[in-house]
Amino acid sequence: MNRDPGRQLDVPRLQRRLAEFAAARNWQPYHTPKNLVAALSVEASELVEIFQWLTPEESADVMADPGTAHRVRDEVADVLAYLLQLCEVLGVDPLAALDAKIDRNELRFPVAGERPFPAPDGESDNASGGE
């Protein structure tokens, strides 16, 4: 089935399509969190396999080769499909989870020289303690 180029892609629509695909094949009983996370791990490993023995330079150019680029896109799609299905089964909003995680990381890992809160008395604002 070809995608209508004017159709907007969004997470809930993709999750519905995945659920409909699974339902049409009676796969829902197998789509438990345990099975979905295992499948996600397998697909992520297949993506890793593409890059496994490449140099950093080769990995940066991986999309230049049409055959390899096709494999990368397919594995990325498989990883995302299982992740979205897992989120659906668990009731996790993946975009909200990511947004919240970025917020936490911004607090945990401030930009060098910045703190999310004032430095305690007597402590330098420089993370290394000196200037």
Side-chain angles (χ1 to χ4, degrees), residues 24-74:
R25 291 152 181 81
N26 297 313
W27 290 352
Q28 309 98 313
Y30 309 105
H31 285 194
T32 64
K34 175 191 163 291
N35 288 348
L36 291 169
V37 81
L40 172 60
S41 176
V42 168
E43 295 301 340
S45 294
E46 290 178 8
L47 183 59
V48 169
E49 184 180 29
I50 296 169
F51 293 87
Q52 186 172 7
W53 302 114
L54 301 180
T55 66
E57 296 77 19
E58 290 169 334
S59 71
D61 292 334
V62 75
M63 300 305 284
D65 175 64
T68 305
H70 177 75
R71 289 178 54 217
V72 168
R73 282 190 297 272
D74 274 357

Side-chain angles (χ1 to χ4, degrees), residues 1-2 8 13 15-16 31 40 59 74 81 83 87 110 130:
M1 175 177 175
N2 289 333
Q8 195 70 7
R13 177 175 292 171
Q15 286 175 309
R16 277 192 306 278
H31 285 194
L40 172 60
S59 71
D74 274 357
L83 180 59
C87 288

